[in-house]
């Protein structure tokens, strides 16, 4: 698996990606398969450094089939100061035979777009995939893919949800209580050796997908709770959402993020630590707790470390 990274875990199936290549590993049967090349893609055959692929596993509950959805994109022609994108969408039936084991192109009337990253995705109930992407206007949009109907759509976002670039606040997509949600998380600033200011976050939850009905609430984490958690006091501590637990707690990974108001760029500063941990934030109770992963006698200097959820579903399907 050298060079590959885990991009998703779904129903006991792990997806590993390495640029345009992908592998699926069944944690129950321990079977590992390499996904076939998308031979008919007009983007992947080009020698273009801007091309990017995103793979996601889902489940068609009507036909009881596991599918892999893939979006392929590259930079298009520049129109004035605007960057355009070219994108393709493909579906592969896992465990298929003969013709069914080939990638099928999924036509779409949506604007060509580019997924932000492999990790800005949420799978709701296994059959509805959501991910963040940028269009030719550099506008950030929410894209959905239905694993059953194989239709691609662009749901309307909340009117007061504003994406980058702006103040040193970032937004991530998460699953919350079986619904797609956005969590607006800030850089938590400190004074001296303690956190003097409260951390304010906002959450938007999709209440009705058909009518694009969203609800929102503001969450305030008091300084006392930040300090009780024995968090390291750094200049720009950011708690990055990385999914939710079965109990609905948001998984937050601490990162030392630096924001430039002049260039509007974000960078992640190295951290020297012997303690790896995450925080679990209960939105309903507005309470956060620390979960230690491991302690080491050696000190590690790390720029970024990440966490991905692993379900313990037993899956006996043959890939």
């Amino acid at each position: 698996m050298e060079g590959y990274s885990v991009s998703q875990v779904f129903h006991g199936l792990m997806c590993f990606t390495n640029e345009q290549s992908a592998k699926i590993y069944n944690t129950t049967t321990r079977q590992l398969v390499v996904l076939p090349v998308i031979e008919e893609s007009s983007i992947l055959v080009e020698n273009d450094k801007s091309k990017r692929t995103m793979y996601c596993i889902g489940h068609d509950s009507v036909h009881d089939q596991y599918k892999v959805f893939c979006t392929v994109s590259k930079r298009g022609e520049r129109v004035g100061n605007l960057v355009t994108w070219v994108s393709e969408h493909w579906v592969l039936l896992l465990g298929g035979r003969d013709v069914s084991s080939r990638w099928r192109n999924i036509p779409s009337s949506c604007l060509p777009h580019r997924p932000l990253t492999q990790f800005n995705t949420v799978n709701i109930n296994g059959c509805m995939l959501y991910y963040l992407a940028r269009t030719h206007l550099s506008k950030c949009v929410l894209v959905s893919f239905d694993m059953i109907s194989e239709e691609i759509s662009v749901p309307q976002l909340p009117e007061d949800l504003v994406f980058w670039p702006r103040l040193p606040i970032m937004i991530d997509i998460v699953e919350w209580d079986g619904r797609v949600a956005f969590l607006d998380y800030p850089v938590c600033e400190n004074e001296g050796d303690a956190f003097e200011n409260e951390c304010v976050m906002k959450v938007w939850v999709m209440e009705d997908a058909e009518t694009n009905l969203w609800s929102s609430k503001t969450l305030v984490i008091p300084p006392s709770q930040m300090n009780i958690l024995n968090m390291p006091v750094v200049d720009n501590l950011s708690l990055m959402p990385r999914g939710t637990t079965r109990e609905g707690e948001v998984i937050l990974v601490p990162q030392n993020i630096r924001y430039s108001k002049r260039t509007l760029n974000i960078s992640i500063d190295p951290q020297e630590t012997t303690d790896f941990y995450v925080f679990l934030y209960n939105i309903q109770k507005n309470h956060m707790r620390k979960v230690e992963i491991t302690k080491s006698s050696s000190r590690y200097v790390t720029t970024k470390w990440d966490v991905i959820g692993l379900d313990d579903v037993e899956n006996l399907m043959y890939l």
Side-chain angles (χ1 to χ4, degrees):
M1 304 309 296
E2 183 178 354
Y4 283 79
S5 60
V6 182
S7 62
Q8 183 197 14
V9 182
F10 176 73
H11 284 194
L13 303 177
M14 302 180 73
C15 182
F16 293 85
T17 58
N18 183 1
E19 296 182 352
Q20 283 76 52
S21 302
K23 299 179 180 181
I24 304 295
Y25 177 70
N26 189 322
T27 58
T28 302
T29 64
R30 300 192 178 185
Q31 182 188 8
L32 177 69
V33 297
V34 179
L35 297 187
V37 176
I38 308 177
E39 297 178 351
E40 299 178 16
S41 171
S42 60
I43 296 179
L44 292 180
V45 295
E46 297 183 19
N47 185 20
D48 192 326
K49 294 182 179 180
S50 71
K51 61 186 177 183
R52 177 187 295 173
T53 56
M54 181 195 73
Y55 295 91
C56 289
I57 310 170
H59 183 245
D60 179 347
S61 58
V62 173
H63 303 94
D64 192 20
Q65 296 174 332
Y66 285 90
K67 300 177 181 179
V68 179
F69 174 73
C70 178
T71 293
V72 183
S73 62
K74 72 166 187 174
R75 191 184 300 270
E77 296 182 357
R78 183 178 290 273
V79 179
N81 294 326
L82 298 178
V83 175
T84 64
W85 304 104
V86 179
S87 59
E88 301 171 344
H89 310 283
W90 302 84
V91 165
L92 175 73
L93 179 63
L94 283 178
R97 298 291 184 272
D98 303 325
V99 178
S100 61
S101 63
R102 296 177 57 185
W103 290 97
R104 290 182 291 106
N105 182 255
I106 304 298
S108 172
S109 59
C110 299
L111 283 173
H113 57 267
R114 183 183 187 88
L116 294 188
T117 70
Q118 180 78 42
F119 303 99
N120 290 110
T121 61
V122 166
N123 197 322
I124 304 297
N125 298 324
C127 61
M128 187 62 71
L129 173 72
Y130 293 91
Y131 62 93
L132 289 172
R134 288 201 181 277
T135 64
H136 66 287
L137 298 175
S138 293
K139 180 182 179 181
C140 198
V141 297
L142 177 65
V143 183
S144 67
F145 177 73
D146 191 321
M147 288 288 175
I148 300 175
S149 65
E150 298 187 351
E151 294 181 351
I152 301 172
S153 59
V154 180
Q156 184 177 348
L157 290 171
E159 294 182 357
D160 59 338
L161 181 61
V162 181
F163 283 93
W164 187 259
R166 59 192 185 105
L167 297 176
I169 298 177
M170 291 164 286
I171 297 174
D172 215 338
I173 184 172
V174 296
E175 177 186 357
W176 185 64
D177 196 24
R179 293 167 291 175
V180 63
F182 288 99
L183 187 64
D184 184 334
Y185 59 105
V187 173
C188 302
E189 299 177 349
N190 65 82
E191 298 289 341
D193 296 329
F195 290 94
E196 300 291 340
N197 302 320
E198 60 190 17
C199 274
V200 180
M201 296 187 286
K202 189 171 182 178
V203 61
W204 293 263
V205 181
M206 180 183 282
E207 301 291 350
D208 191 322
E210 294 185 0
T211 61
N212 284 319
L213 178 64
W214 294 81
S215 64
S216 65
K217 65 184 299 186
T218 300
L219 312 168
V220 179
I221 304 177
S224 58
Q225 196 171 135
M226 304 289 288
N227 292 317
I228 290 175
L229 293 171
N230 295 320
M231 296 171 61
V233 178
V234 295
D235 291 336
N236 298 282
L237 182 69
S238 181
L239 301 177
M240 303 179 70
R242 282 297 178 261
T244 53
T245 67
R246 290 175 180 166
E247 290 72 28
E249 295 172 300
V250 179
I251 303 171
L252 300 171
V253 179
Q255 299 289 351
N256 189 11
I257 291 185
R258 187 172 300 277
Y259 168 80
S260 172
K261 294 183 179 180
R262 183 179 61 84
T263 63
L264 301 180
N265 290 329
I266 291 177
S267 61
I268 302 179
D269 290 346
Q271 300 179 59
E272 187 174 352
T273 181
T274 60
D275 188 11
F276 290 92
Y277 52 89
V278 296
F279 299 105
L280 300 183
Y281 178 58
N282 189 310
I283 295 179
Q284 296 276 21
K285 299 179 179 179
N286 193 26
H287 180 268
M288 188 162 59
R289 61 191 178 99
K290 179 179 179 181
V291 178
E292 187 176 275
I293 300 175
T294 182
K295 267 190 176 294
S296 172
S297 57
S298 303
R299 297 193 68 86
Y300 294 92
V301 177
T302 173
T303 300
K304 182 178 180 181
W305 55 280
D306 218 333
V307 174
I308 188 167
L310 172 64
D311 51 21
D312 57 356
V313 175
E314 187 177 72
N315 194 328
L316 298 176
M317 78 162 294
Y318 181 77
L319 299 174

